Amino acid sequence: MDMSENIGRHLAELVAFRRDLHAHPELKYEEHRTSDRVAQALRALGLEVHRGLAGTGVVGTLRGRGPRAGDPSRAILLRADMDALPVQESNTFEHASTQPGRMHACGHDGHTAMLLLGAARVLAENPDFDGTVHFVFQPAEEGGAGARKMIEEGLFDLFPVEAAFALHNWPALPAGEFGVRVGPIMAAANRFEIRVNGRGAHAAQPHTGIDPIPVACAIVSQLQLLVSRGSDPLDSAVLTVGVIEAGTIENIIPARAVIKGTCRTLLPETQARLVDGIERIATHVAAAHMASAEVIVKNGYPPTINHPLEARFMADVMAELVGEDQVERDVPPAMTSEDFGFMLEAVPGAYGFIGNGGVSHSCENLHNAGYDFNDDILGLGVTFWAQLTRRWFSRDR
Ligand SMILES: [Zn+2]
Ligand SMILES: [Zn+2]
């Protein structure tokens, strides 16, 4: 069977499905309509469907034709995310969001369409591979750690796999190109809050209180040294204070100041060092000025670290489809973060980029109110997933 023809036959439907998802965005853990549509479509293709992991999560299982298709150790997981963002869409095209303040601004509508109506359908129509594929549609990638929740609720116990793969559209790469790399491809992200406790006083009598404002300012300036002086210049790290709050009026020294920020790194050990450093600097700088500081670190996502064999395999599949020139095998990592990192902590696998930019599609950046997934890349994405599956199960081990 000619796969490109097969995809071509479905392409109009695939575009319509993607645009329908775009018009009906749902926020993290509320992807009920999307989850229903995904489950229905998987059932219609004859896949076994499991629902309920992390609430709206859906897993569709497709067994190939080969003798090892029933062997649970010969299975892979392909993952798409389903959730949208709390953004007011500025686009005015026909498939723009119908939901005020909600938008598919990260292209998860495209990821779901490519994997579902695309790859699942093409492979279900011709399951000429010797193994099992679990198509995973996860909720809450955007800040809700849906991947972690699915794992905690038994994803890999119910669906053991030898490898997991995911693909994100990437506006910085032109359509028709791919990127991947061995090692970290997205950063770990933690949020932190520092509460500086002093003692309130009249603004004219500072010696009777402990002013938390200069203490907070000293902490913010000292935190800058953690990256600029404490980190290997070749090991990317960023620490940003995005909020500093204190006081109500100019003639009162407040009792408390609050600092909030985020730190992002590509390596877990760097992340641990920054978190330790934030705690150490905040408490000691506060103590030096007779104030105190409480530090609360909200653990975010781990770095997304690609495993070498799976990342190289993914790059080979990409190169086979579009040619070596169109594949960045050492694409620069991004300091954004991604909860697929939790899956790559649990099983081997890789996460890659599919170019979303292009001549006919001037793509805004991810999370921008003017962003849209580029429908021109749907067919390529489908072919990628189908090819990856066939190659994985036919490779020499
Ligand atoms: Zn996003
Ligand atoms: Zn995303």
Side-chain angles (χ1 to χ4, degrees):
M1 181 183 295
D2 181 300
M3 207 190 306
S4 56
E5 256 179 46
N6 196 26
I7 293 168
R9 190 153 53 82
H10 297 313
L11 206 53
E13 203 181 330
L14 192 57
V15 171
F17 182 80
R18 201 287 294 178
R19 292 184 176 185
D20 175 74
L21 293 184
H22 191 91
H24 300 92
E26 296 173 299
L27 299 182
K28 58 186 173 193
Y29 293 121
E30 293 172 4
E31 308 90 343
H32 300 290
R33 180 183 184 275
T34 310
S35 172
D36 285 348
R37 292 217 62 190
V38 167
Q40 272 166 19
L42 291 171
R43 280 203 192 93
L45 293 171
L47 272 66
E48 286 167 35
V49 175
H50 182 286
R51 301 192 69 178
L53 285 178
T56 51
V58 186
V59 182
T61 296
L62 176 65
R63 289 180 219 292
R65 280 205 196 100
R68 289 176 299 192
D71 178 354
S73 69
R74 293 245 59 196
I76 58 171
L77 178 159
L78 310 181
R79 170 274 210 169
D81 34 18
M82 300 188 291
D83 57 322
L85 283 155
V87 172
Q88 179 65 43
E89 180 157 7
S90 65
N91 296 313
T92 53
F93 44 59
E94 213 171 302
H95 63 279
S97 173
T98 58
Q99 308 295 308
R102 296 179 192 180
M103 177 190 175
H104 267 297
C106 205
H108 299 183
D109 48 345
H111 302 166
T112 297
M114 281 192 299
L115 192 58
L116 174 71
L117 271 194
R121 170 182 264 181
V122 167
L123 288 167
E125 286 180 353
N126 186 17
D128 57 346
F129 56 92
D130 191 7
T132 299
V133 186
H134 301 298
F135 297 91
V136 171
F137 299 87
Q138 74 150 80
E141 191 287 316
E142 299 288 359
R148 180 175 63 197
K149 200 159 173 54
M150 286 188 91
I151 295 167
E152 284 168 357
E153 294 183 9
L155 177 68
F156 291 119
D157 304 320
L158 291 164
F159 307 102
V161 295
E162 50 187 343
F165 297 97
L167 200 59
H168 205 294
N169 76 93
W170 208 240
L173 284 177
E177 294 189 15
F178 287 99
V180 66
R181 75 193 302 271
V182 172
I185 188 161
M186 282 214 186
N190 281 341
R191 285 181 293 158
F192 63 86
E193 180 174 329
I194 302 168
R195 296 177 189 158
V196 182
N197 300 306
R199 193 167 62 240
H202 193 291
Q205 298 166 329
H207 58 294
T208 65
I210 298 171
D211 189 346
I213 291 180
V215 178
C217 293
I219 291 172
V220 171
S221 65
Q222 291 299 305
L223 288 178
Q224 309 308 314
L225 301 181
L226 281 174
V227 173
S228 71
R229 301 292 82 191
S231 285
D232 180 342
L234 296 179
D235 175 23
S236 299
V238 60
L239 187 155
T240 293
V241 170
V243 173
I244 177 161
E245 287 171 342
T248 50
I249 191 165
E250 64 275 12
N251 62 354
I252 295 177
I253 291 170
R256 181 191 261 195
V258 176
I259 298 161
K260 293 180 189 172
T262 178
C263 56
R264 289 158 184 254
T265 58
L266 293 175
L267 298 174
E269 50 273 27
T270 312
Q271 189 70 3
R273 196 176 52 69
L274 282 192
V275 168
D276 283 354
I278 292 165
E279 173 103 36
R280 191 177 62 247
I281 285 173
T283 54
H284 286 84
V285 170
H289 299 286
M290 291 187 298
S292 66
E294 298 162 61
V295 179
I296 300 152
V297 177
K298 291 168 189 149
N299 277 331
Y301 292 172
T304 300
I305 302 180
N306 281 337
H307 296 238
L309 183 147
E310 288 73 17
R312 287 191 198 106
F313 164 77
M314 192 183 240
D316 290 343
V317 173
M318 292 166 168
E320 197 183 336
L321 292 181
V322 294
E324 201 60 63
D325 290 352
Q326 314 297 316
V327 179
E328 278 203 52
R329 285 179 180 261
D330 192 18
V331 74
M335 297 309 282
T336 49
S337 68
E338 162 61 64
D339 75 350
F340 192 65
F342 289 112
M343 294 205 184
L344 295 185
E345 285 184 336
V347 295
Y351 176 92
F353 298 144
I354 179 168
N356 194 48
V359 184
S360 63
H361 186 90
S362 61
C363 189
E364 292 286 354
N365 221 332
L366 299 173
H367 293 207
N368 185 297
Y371 167 88
D372 192 28
F373 186 88
N374 183 352
D375 287 325
D376 292 346
I377 68 170
L378 281 169
L380 181 60
V382 173
T383 315
F384 169 78
W385 281 128
Q387 191 79 343
L388 179 139
T389 301
R390 295 196 162 102
R391 285 285 175 265
W392 180 265
F393 292 117
S394 67
R395 79 200 203 290
D396 294 329
R397 296 212 300 166

